[in-house]
Amino acid sequence: MAQDKELRIGYQPNPIQDASIAMMEKWGAKNGVKITKIPNSYGVYVEKMTASLTSNSDQYDVIWHNDDWGQLWAHLLEPTDDIESLKYADKWGMAGIIFNNAQGQNTVVPMGQTFGVFYYRTDLVSESELPRTLDDLVKISKKLQAEGKVKFGYVGGMAMNHTWFTWFWSMWSNNCDVLLPVFERANAKLAANNWKSALEEPCMRQAAEFWWDAINTHKISPRGMPAYDRNEANAVFMAGDAAFTVGDSVYWATFNDPAKSKVAGKVNITFFPLGPNRNEPMAWNDIWGWAIPKSVPAERKALAKRMLSDMMLDEEGQRELWKRTGAPPPNKELWDKIAKDDVFMQQLKKFNLDVTNKVRSAYYFEKWPGVHKAFSDAVIKAVTGSREDIPKALAAGASLVTNAAK
């Protein structure tokens, strides 16, 4: 079929996005539509796309959309409520608080679920020895290091925009959060509390002291970890140099690819270790999605919607996305089907998808990216300074977080 139409896709190279775009390319070949891929660096993605959206450019027909900036872009995106196949999407990930515009219209189509999981090396730690608490994580890591089995106990991304893989999971596992009340995401309630930061709460000090000790006292984590992004942390884990990591579930296939990973076939997942203030499992689970800029011409909007709708119904393509990544596909009806004969999906359901105490992994107001940056700067300063200065660093950051939110 002649390709006389084109859809331009703005995205960030990543296993789940690459796998989703492969579905687009298959659809394009079948429907006579050229799929043009326009990659963007993660570090500049939000700024670059925001500039494109606010200038009413039609440079992109479909763009990667994330809960982290759902409210930042909602008014600049085409409503997608008329895509009927969205009825098969996970309701938690599609909650209106995240992606709805001021008129209550949805602005996203999911590409798949994205969340962090706690990975461990099965050749080093048996199921009965898994860390149940943060203290256990330290003890087991030090034991493995003392036995010369591994260079580090734990490695994870710690730099800005990689906060989930150290700071966020450990504070959530200790009943702590960026803002107060803890785990509140309703903007009206956060505003009524004057956007108060949790940085000065005892639970946050515990989190900062845990990571300071992990790096400097116990040395179970690399000295340079405060600057690590997820890719650097993943590389350490795949080189066989760490026993534990938290990473996106979409890297399951990469971790188990013998061509890329020395630990292939020796990886499993479990619950996040708990801090002293919590005694039940925690998980988060959100979607990455695709969105259509409002400024795109009507004909291409319609074509983009048709493609995204068809992808929601493409069982073969979604199963392939699952195999290539380890990300539960956008059509929730496939989850139980996959779990029938797939052990990893059974594990994901047990340790994440079916956990009742879920945390939303971001906040949903326009200034959240700035708040996230202020939080990240504060906790990194706390962990890279002296231990006795941790309270001072957190206190200084608290007002910056609040001011960034207002």
Side-chain angles (χ1 to χ4, degrees):
M1 185 181 291
Q3 290 188 333
D4 55 357
K5 298 177 181 177
E6 179 185 22
L7 288 174
R8 293 165 298 183
I9 315 300
Y11 74 108
Q12 177 238 332
N14 172 283
I16 186 173
Q17 295 187 48
D18 293 338
S20 188
I21 290 174
M23 292 174 65
M24 294 181 183
E25 291 175 321
K26 184 180 77 169
W27 179 91
K30 182 179 178 181
N31 291 278
V33 178
K34 179 184 178 183
I35 303 298
T36 299
K37 301 187 292 184
I38 307 173
N40 292 269
S41 165
Y42 184 49
V44 300
Y45 185 84
V46 175
E47 291 81 0
K48 190 168 183 179
M49 287 296 165
T50 300
S52 178
L53 289 166
T54 54
S55 67
N56 287 321
S57 163
D58 68 346
Q59 181 181 2
Y60 307 99
D61 300 306
V62 176
I63 59 174
W64 168 41
H65 195 24
N66 187 1
D67 67 313
D68 254 29
W69 45 83
Q71 288 306 305
L72 181 66
W73 292 352
H75 63 294
L76 300 166
L77 299 174
E78 172 72 8
T80 53
D81 289 323
D82 54 344
I83 297 179
E84 187 182 356
S85 58
L86 281 178
K87 65 186 179 184
Y88 299 115
D90 175 46
K91 299 296 187 290
W92 168 268
M94 294 287 290
I97 191 176
I98 307 174
F99 296 107
N100 278 13
N101 61 23
Q103 291 72 46
Q105 298 166 306
N106 174 51
T107 60
V108 73
V109 176
M111 74 169 78
Q113 306 297 123
T114 173
F115 47 87
V117 292
F118 191 87
Y119 292 99
Y120 70 94
R121 292 265 302 279
T122 57
D123 58 325
L124 299 176
V125 185
S126 69
E127 195 170 341
S128 63
E129 298 171 318
L130 288 172
R132 307 298 177 191
T133 67
L134 292 175
D135 283 345
D136 289 344
L137 178 60
V138 172
K139 290 172 188 172
I140 296 167
S141 294
K142 291 176 74 171
K143 179 175 181 290
L144 292 171
Q145 288 172 291
E147 293 171 351
K149 293 181 179 178
V150 73
K151 189 180 292 186
F152 303 109
Y154 182 89
V155 66
M158 211 170 204
M160 171 58 190
N161 277 333
H162 305 273
T163 332
W164 291 269
F165 312 113
T166 44
W167 296 109
F168 281 177
W169 77 257
S170 61
M171 71 181 190
W172 291 331
S173 291
N174 194 37
N175 274 340
C176 211
D177 212 343
V178 176
L179 299 173
L180 297 172
V182 169
F183 307 141
E184 181 61 67
R185 293 299 182 266
N187 294 333
K189 293 182 180 179
L190 295 167
N193 200 39
N194 201 34
W195 303 99
K196 184 173 172 58
S197 164
L199 277 172
E200 294 184 272
E201 297 296 302
C203 59
M204 192 66 71
R205 180 173 175 173
Q206 288 169 333
E209 289 176 345
F210 172 80
W211 290 115
W212 197 99
D213 290 341
I215 294 167
N216 299 289
T217 304
H218 306 307
K219 296 180 170 53
I220 66 167
S221 295
R223 185 70 188 89
M225 198 168 79
Y228 280 18
D229 64 19
R230 76 190 75 196
N231 296 317
E232 291 166 308
N234 288 351
V236 171
F237 187 70
M238 289 190 291
D241 288 338
F244 305 101
T245 193
V246 168
D248 294 308
S249 74
V250 302
Y251 287 102
W252 170 257
T254 305
F255 287 171
N256 284 290
D257 182 348
K260 299 176 181 177
S261 172
K262 291 183 179 179
V263 299
K266 303 172 183 176
V267 180
N268 205 346
I269 64 172
T270 188
F271 291 115
F272 294 99
L274 301 172
N277 296 320
R278 192 177 180 107
N279 55 24
E280 76 282 348
M282 175 280 303
W284 78 90
N285 169 25
D286 291 290
I287 65 165
W288 277 5
W290 298 111
I292 304 165
K294 265 187 179 178
S295 53
V296 172
E299 184 180 355
R300 296 212 307 268
K301 280 183 186 175
L303 189 63
K305 286 184 178 183
R306 185 178 140 210
M307 176 182 72
L308 295 174
S309 180
D310 288 350
M311 288 167 63
M312 286 290 295
L313 302 174
D314 179 2
E315 180 169 344
E316 180 185 352
Q318 290 189 58
R319 283 182 175 273
E320 184 60 27
L321 178 143
W322 162 256
K323 289 176 187 174
R324 286 180 58 176
T325 62
N331 188 326
K332 189 180 180 182
E333 293 199 350
L334 298 179
W335 296 1
D336 286 339
K337 282 187 181 182
I338 292 170
K340 283 180 181 177
D341 54 14
D342 191 296
V343 174
F344 184 57
M345 179 58 106
Q346 294 168 13
Q347 299 281 71
L348 282 185
K349 285 175 67 63
K350 177 179 179 180
F351 298 123
N352 193 289
L353 297 173
D354 293 344
V355 169
T356 54
N357 295 290
K358 285 197 184 77
V359 177
R360 293 209 179 272
S361 67
Y363 285 82
Y364 307 112
F365 51 90
E366 192 172 338
K367 294 183 178 180
W368 161 241
V371 172
H372 187 182
K373 177 66 163 60
F375 171 87
S376 177
D377 288 347
V379 291
I380 288 174
K381 185 176 181 180
V383 85
T384 53
S386 65
R387 196 179 193 278
E388 56 267 29
D389 284 342
I390 287 175
K392 188 189 303 181
L394 296 178
S399 60
L400 297 177
V401 165
T402 295
N403 290 338
K406 288 182 177 180

